[in-house]
Amino acid sequence: KNSTSGGVVYVDHARHLTPLTLTYHATASRHLTTGRTDVVPPSTSVEVDSVYCPRCFSYCTAPPTSLGVCEKSTGGGLGGGCGSATSCKDCPICFCPVSVSIDAAPVSAEAGDDKQLLCHYLCGYCGWSSQECGVTSNASKLKKYQSSRKGDEDVANDWEKQRQEIIFEISRDLEHCLKQKVEQRNKHCDSLFSSIVEIFIKQEEEEER
């Protein structure tokens, strides 16, 4: 059908005039459908089948995601949720999601050949690491679990379970270290703000005198 503006519009199954760019052919109903939300009654209905965090792509239930909170921030751990001890974190440089990485720590001359493992946040986009600000956790206890255990299936499953528990504990320690750093920074900022306020109060008192 020709519209008054000279364009061509189509009538969907709910009798709404819609441009072709906003219509699609539904495979189930075999009817011309539109996704417009400014018409009554609506041509389509929307149902949420599943919800995921747009940053880490882990599955979440609808209530936390609707509030902009990933289920990783509410725990979950080994027993539920996304299975991680840490919540989604953004890189302070490029604001991309960071991941938890376990790498070999820089070896000092005193340590010799004994390499230590370090858990830290790592940005896969710009390469920023939380080692730069001292947010790390010791992951050396994971060294004995680096190779898979061969043998009976039950023994291998128990070995893997112990390994996952160690990773969960290390990630939790990293999260705790980050919280401590944030609390220390906030205390410093609060004390600095209080001192500035006291200076202004004293100046006002002197001006009144």
Side-chain angles (χ1 to χ4, degrees):
K1 181 179 179 178
N2 292 329
S3 64
T4 56
S5 59
V8 178
V9 292
Y10 294 81
V11 179
D12 64 5
H13 72 93
R15 298 183 179 277
H16 299 310
L17 298 177
T18 310
L20 184 62
T21 54
L22 300 179
T23 60
Y24 58 92
H25 190 264
T27 57
S29 63
R30 302 293 182 179
H31 292 157
L32 191 64
T33 310
T34 175
R36 292 176 58 187
T37 58
D38 58 339
V39 291
V40 179
S43 181
T44 57
S45 61
V46 179
E47 295 182 0
V48 178
D49 181 59
S50 61
V51 185
Y52 66 93
C53 175
R55 294 189 294 179
C56 67
F57 297 104
S58 61
Y59 173 79
C60 299
T61 54
T65 311
S66 62
L67 298 176
V69 179
C70 176
E71 281 193 347
K72 284 187 177 182
S73 62
T74 60
L78 296 175
C82 63
S84 174
T86 59
S87 59
C88 290
K89 299 293 186 298
D90 289 337
C91 175
I93 306 300
C94 65
F95 303 104
C96 291
V98 297
S99 59
V100 177
S101 179
I102 298 178
D103 302 305
V107 180
S108 60
E110 295 79 6
D113 296 333
D114 187 16
K115 294 184 179 180
Q116 302 295 322
L117 296 180
L118 205 65
C119 182
H120 59 106
Y121 294 110
L122 181 65
C123 178
Y125 184 77
C126 69
W128 174 87
S129 172
S130 62
Q131 297 184 58
E132 300 177 10
C133 53
V135 178
T136 60
S137 64
N138 191 351
S140 296
K141 62 179 71 175
L142 195 62
K143 292 171 66 176
K144 60 185 263 187
Y145 295 96
Q146 286 182 333
S147 59
S148 60
R149 175 65 64 89
K150 298 180 180 180
D152 185 40
E153 183 177 356
D154 294 336
V155 176
N157 292 336
D158 184 65
W159 180 269
E160 180 63 22
K161 181 179 179 181
Q162 294 178 12
R163 179 176 175 272
Q164 293 298 329
E165 289 177 351
I166 295 297
I167 294 176
F168 174 77
E169 182 180 346
I170 294 172
S171 302
R172 183 178 56 190
D173 293 341
L174 179 64
E175 179 85 3
H176 181 67
C177 179
L178 176 62
K179 289 182 179 179
Q180 285 184 330
K181 289 289 185 180
V182 172
E183 290 177 358
Q184 292 175 1
R185 184 197 62 182
N186 291 341
K187 288 181 180 179
H188 175 72
C189 294
D190 290 342
S191 60
L192 179 61
F193 179 76
S194 299
S195 62
I196 294 175
V197 172
E198 290 178 358
I199 292 175
F200 278 106
I201 292 176
K202 290 181 180 180
Q203 289 181 351
E204 290 180 356
E205 292 177 351
E206 291 178 357
E207 289 177 359
E208 290 178 356
R209 292 176 183 176

